[in-house]
Amino acid sequence: MNEMKKVSLVVIRRLPRYYRYLTELKESGVVRISSKALAEKMRVTASQIRQDLNCFGGFGQQGYGYNVSQLQTAIGDILGLNESHTTIIIGAGNLGRAIANYGSFEKRGYKLIGIFDNNKDLIGQEINKIKVSHIDTLEEFFQKQKPDIAILTIPKEVAVEIAQKLTQLGVRGIWNFSNMDLHMSVEGVEIENVHLSDSLMTLSYKIGQGVKK
Ligand code: NAI
């Protein structure tokens, strides 16, 4: 990768999709691909791909296209996927369990090391070989393990309080599923608010409008 410019979040948000397609191509044995062929596969324009990748200095070679494996590794590096991250889940309910039991995150380098809840009936239960601990033991846990990312699958009423606690304890990222956007601005802590329902509402709009994309 050549010199890196300041890249907009809009471009960064497109990179996981490139990463997914390139991983599939690599797994099916494709060694190189032109921006045109990649664009057709991803249903975007070739110029968008070239522009996006140029933000990082460009990866393709004229007349050759992209080396799939190299590009996948480079995008993985940009996204921080080639280093592992430790994660914890706060809230061992329906969603917390589903995420804990989803194996693909671990394959991507996100290692689940703790699950916390405040419901005493859940404490000590095992989810994907990890025992649920009481939320009151969070501080002690951080002193020993310092997880990088906390996944919040708790009710919205307690999201701010728990997020504040996590930032004080030194978490580096919060993947927030609780039904409330967190907008804390704390140096060294990144937040990603996730709403599956946003995607569902977009789908219902498309159904209503007959939009094809
Ligand atoms: P759930 O009720 O099954 O699980 C919530 C868990 O949080 C419970 O086990 C509860 O004991 C625990 N909890 C409550 N207060 C706590 C505290 N102070 N400390 C530690 N644990 C605490 O709910 P479910 O279905 O798993 O949903 C969890 C959250 O995720 C809800 O806020 C829900 O609205 C949201 N959600 C968000 C989605 C999204 O796309 N962002 C999709 C589905 C749910």
Side-chain angles (χ1 to χ4, degrees):
M1 192 172 33
N2 303 330
E3 202 181 303
M4 209 200 280
K5 302 176 218 158
K6 178 88 182 146
V7 180
S8 83
L9 204 53
V10 178
V11 175
I12 300 291
R13 286 202 188 280
R14 285 202 284 264
L15 293 186
R17 188 155 180 262
Y18 288 119
Y19 188 82
R20 263 194 294 117
Y21 275 81
L22 289 161
T23 303
E24 271 175 29
L25 287 165
K26 187 176 157 183
E27 282 169 3
S28 54
V30 177
V31 176
R32 67 171 162 150
I33 191 161
S34 66
S35 51
K36 186 167 175 276
L38 184 59
E40 274 165 17
K41 208 170 161 47
M42 293 184 63
R43 292 167 176 259
V44 293
T45 63
S47 97
Q48 167 145 92
I49 291 183
R50 284 193 296 268
Q51 257 178 38
D52 283 351
L53 299 181
N54 273 340
C55 296
F56 305 97
F59 296 101
Q61 276 172 37
Q62 198 96 46
Y64 176 89
Y66 298 106
N67 177 306
V68 170
S69 174
Q70 278 173 11
L71 184 56
Q72 187 237 21
T73 305
I75 291 179
D77 278 339
I78 295 164
L79 292 172
L81 301 180
N82 301 320
E83 55 182 282
S84 62
H85 297 284
T86 49
T87 66
I88 56 171
I89 291 176
I90 317 271
N94 296 309
L95 189 57
R97 277 168 193 272
I99 293 175
N101 282 314
Y102 183 57
S104 275
F105 295 137
E106 183 126 7
K107 281 193 224 140
R108 290 261 157 90
Y110 301 97
K111 188 169 171 40
L112 182 64
I113 58 168
I115 303 175
F116 297 85
D117 205 288
N118 70 347
N119 177 346
K120 62 177 176 12
D121 295 340
L122 298 179
I123 311 306
Q125 277 189 16
E126 270 195 18
I127 306 173
N128 197 5
K129 301 195 195 105
I130 296 187
K131 278 205 169 117
V132 178
S133 304
H134 199 282
I135 190 74
D136 289 350
T137 63
L138 196 61
E139 194 164 341
E140 191 187 325
F141 184 88
F142 265 79
Q143 278 159 10
K144 291 190 200 132
Q145 309 233 30
K146 272 234 167 263
D148 300 313
I149 295 173
I151 302 170
L152 295 195
T153 49
I154 42 177
K156 65 177 181 186
E157 293 75 17
V158 291
V160 170
E161 175 201 328
I162 298 275
Q164 279 169 347
K165 174 113 192 140
L166 287 161
T167 56
Q168 281 159 13
L169 293 173
V171 82
R172 290 172 59 201
I174 297 178
W175 199 27
N176 173 38
F177 284 85
S178 75
N179 229 340
M180 133 170 307
D181 284 345
L182 293 173
H183 295 292
M184 292 142 59
S185 158
V186 179
E187 175 114 13
V189 184
E190 301 298 336
I191 295 174
E192 212 24 57
N193 297 305
V194 186
H195 295 281
L196 299 179
S197 54
D198 288 2
S199 176
L200 191 57
M201 285 188 261
T202 308
L203 178 65
S204 68
Y205 169 79
K206 286 178 175 174
I207 292 171
Q209 300 291 312
V211 174
K212 284 270 167 286
K213 180 84 177 105

